[in-house]
DNA sequence: CGATCTTTTGACTCTGATCAACCGGGGTGG
DNA sequence: CCACCCCGGTTGATCAGAGTCAAAAGATCG
């Protein structure tokens, strides 16, 4: 029944994630592990961020999926980005910033407080250079995803957009160890995906069928498998975001 | 011939801009005025930011327009946002961040170095709280514009998008005193606007004609006039971004 | 006064939206 | 246990918004 990640301390997924972006010292790893292990369960549709409120309670999405979005008066919805397991939200590098969008959970989810991490990189950045770097990297990534989203929605065809989004999600889930090779969980309804891609549900459905018929993806009950990642990346013009200069050369 | 802003020190436009977001102390105003008055002239198509390069040279666009964009391999272009007079660019609150997009000038432009401001808010934020606040606000605004852009392009019709963008630009130009009431300079070609709105030039042209026919705007040689701003805001569902809590109440 | 760029117009196409109905599974309540 | 219902996915038919192609008409600029 419960399809959430098998029991693992909240710090685990975050540790896995941040390690990708910087070398973490034992002290830093210690800090992550000392972060409150208690995580809270919330149901579908829970508001994680409320537009207009001050962003002062950094949190970690331990499991489950969420999204940031905006509604138009007549019910049209645009999803800006997805918040995936291991992502932090409700924080902003700018002090006293207020939330520009609302965010809600799209599945059951577990959330944990991330204030400790926040304090560490904010007030004691020099003690925790790795954490600081890694958090800055995740902020850059978020911006990169937003730009990708804009290109998808603004200039790509339905076919390209869909492929591109799938690749991006695969990339992100891989980074936190939630991809099983080319197979990723896909708990989103087609309606949700459509609202992210700026398409109608019906058209998205047909586009997915096309991708399947072209043997680029395979999808069954809550999962998507990338059959030919290279071709897919080719049609979508997908490039994993580059957010830092290579530090090691030669 | 030369339609740039009448001679005014570079610090002027920035001062006008930042004063909107925070009370500036005499010391802070002094700092802005002491910023190198020398501004450099550059032609159309000059690269202001190069994707992949480290963002370490904060600059001020004193006059002229620019944009950030990305190209697809087959020539399609998505413009992410516009850089207007009084905007800063080439900086990032995150240290050692690398540019996620390229930016080029769309008109002749004047640019000035903004390192002084940068140093002030970065290393001596407590001495310059107003400047610091104001700069953070502009960063938030940039993000808000990006989100607006996504809604336009993802969920609005051509008619709505066009109206929305015009209103946003009017707002931004007003903030730096470049709007003459409801009339704003519009140095962009329709091709450029189309690339921002995710439309074809032909369709944008027809959409503009519709807006004119509906007496919502008027446009002539390099200028646009908003004839019925309220109606326009209504069709576009336009709301000026709110990026800070009201500080004064009662 | 050409040459080039931008805007405009016309005709046609097509991608993607809309409307409506149906299917299938899982939960629920009688 | 079964009927019902609701939700999400699928299909079909039709429509319309927006793209494409092509060319003309204005602007601008050496």
């Amino acid at each position: 029944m419960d399809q959430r990640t098998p029991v693992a301390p909240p710090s685990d997924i975050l540790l896995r994630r941040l390690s990708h972006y910087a070398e973490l010292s034992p002290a830093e790893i210690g800090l992550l592990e000392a972060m409150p292990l208690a995580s809270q369960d919330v149901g579908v549709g829970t508001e994680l961020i409320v537009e207009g409120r001050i962003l002062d309670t950094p949190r970690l999405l331990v499991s489950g999926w969420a999204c940031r979005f905006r509604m138009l008066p007549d019910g049209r919805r645009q999803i800006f980005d997805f918040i995936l397991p291991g992502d932090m939200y409700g924080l902003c590098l700018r002090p006293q910033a207020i939330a520009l969008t609302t965010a809600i959970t799209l599945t059951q989810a577990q959330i944990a407080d991330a204030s400790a991490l926040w304090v560490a990189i904010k007030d004691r950045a020099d003690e925790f250079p790795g954490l600081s770097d890694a958090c800055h990297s995740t902020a850059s990534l978020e911006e990169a995803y937003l730009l990708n989203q804009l290109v998808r929605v603004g200039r790509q065809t339905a076919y390209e957009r869909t492929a591109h989004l799938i690749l991006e999600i695969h990339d992100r889930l891989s980074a936190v160890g939630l991809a099983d090779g080319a197979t990723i969980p896909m708990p989103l309804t087609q309606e949700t995906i459509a609202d992210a891609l700026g398409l109608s549900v019906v058209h998205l459905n047909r586009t997915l069928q096309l991708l399947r018929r072209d043997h680029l993806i395979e999808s069954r009950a809550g999962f998507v498998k990338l059959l030919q990642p290279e071709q897919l990346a080719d049609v979508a013009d997908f490039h994993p975001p580059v957010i830092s200069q290579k530090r090691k050369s030669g």
Side-chain angles (χ1 to χ4, degrees), chain A:
Chain A
M1 242 75 324
D2 188 343
Q3 297 202 354
R4 277 165 292 164
T5 328
V7 241
S11 60
D12 249 42
I13 194 164
L14 187 53
L15 180 56
R16 214 177 300 145
R17 168 107 193 265
L18 296 184
S19 305
H20 282 197
Y21 310 122
E23 214 75 46
L24 298 183
S25 71
E28 292 176 322
I29 295 174
L31 182 137
L32 288 184
E33 284 170 346
M35 267 178 59
L37 298 188
S39 67
Q40 181 189 351
D41 272 39
V42 300
V44 178
T46 308
E47 284 192 331
L48 300 184
I49 307 177
V50 179
E51 181 175 352
R53 288 245 274 269
I54 292 189
L55 286 166
D56 54 2
T57 49
R59 293 241 170 70
L60 169 67
L61 187 64
V62 178
S63 72
W65 291 33
C67 73
R68 298 198 301 148
F69 68 97
R70 187 178 303 161
M71 303 286 311
L72 290 176
D74 65 353
R76 282 173 287 178
R77 174 172 73 159
Q78 178 63 47
I79 291 179
F80 297 120
D81 48 27
F82 293 107
I83 305 177
L84 304 186
D87 283 342
M88 286 171 294
Y89 65 89
L91 53 74
C92 184
L93 298 170
R94 302 183 288 276
Q96 291 294 303
I98 81 164
L100 296 172
T101 67
T102 294
I104 59 166
T105 54
L106 298 167
T107 67
Q108 273 214 317
Q110 297 177 299
I111 57 183
D113 184 73
S115 314
L117 175 58
W118 196 228
V119 170
I121 70 164
K122 204 158 182 183
D123 303 338
R124 305 191 292 167
D126 28 333
E127 281 177 66
F128 304 102
L131 282 185
S132 179
D133 268 21
C135 285
H136 285 302
S137 289
T138 64
S140 287
L141 274 176
E142 257 180 54
E143 199 177 321
Y145 295 137
L146 215 53
L147 297 175
N148 281 346
Q149 172 78 335
L150 202 32
V151 173
R152 279 194 288 260
V153 147
R155 280 300 184 213
Q156 292 195 299
T157 65
Y159 194 79
E160 294 165 340
R161 296 180 208 193
T162 308
H164 198 282
L165 180 62
I166 290 174
L167 284 162
E168 189 176 283
I169 292 178
H170 176 263
D171 247 39
R172 293 177 61 184
L173 291 178
S174 294
V176 287
L178 290 180
D180 175 10
T183 303
I184 53 173
M186 178 49 63
L188 305 177
T189 66
Q190 294 188 359
E191 168 126 40
T192 302
I193 303 177
D195 281 348
L197 294 180
L199 298 172
S200 68
V201 207
V202 174
H203 196 62
L204 174 73
N205 181 293
R206 288 178 172 135
T207 304
L208 286 171
Q209 291 180 44
L210 273 188
L211 285 168
R212 285 195 288 256
R213 191 179 42 118
D214 294 346
H215 307 291
L216 292 176
I217 65 168
E218 199 178 286
S219 68
R220 33 170 242 289
F223 290 87
V224 171
K225 180 171 180 184
L226 288 63
L227 295 180
Q228 310 183 58
E230 316 75 22
Q231 269 93 327
L232 208 55
D234 203 50
V235 314
D237 189 43
F238 177 81
H239 307 280
V242 178
I243 45 86
S244 70
Q245 304 252 350
K246 287 280 143 290
R247 38 192 56 133
K248 4 202 143 177
S249 61

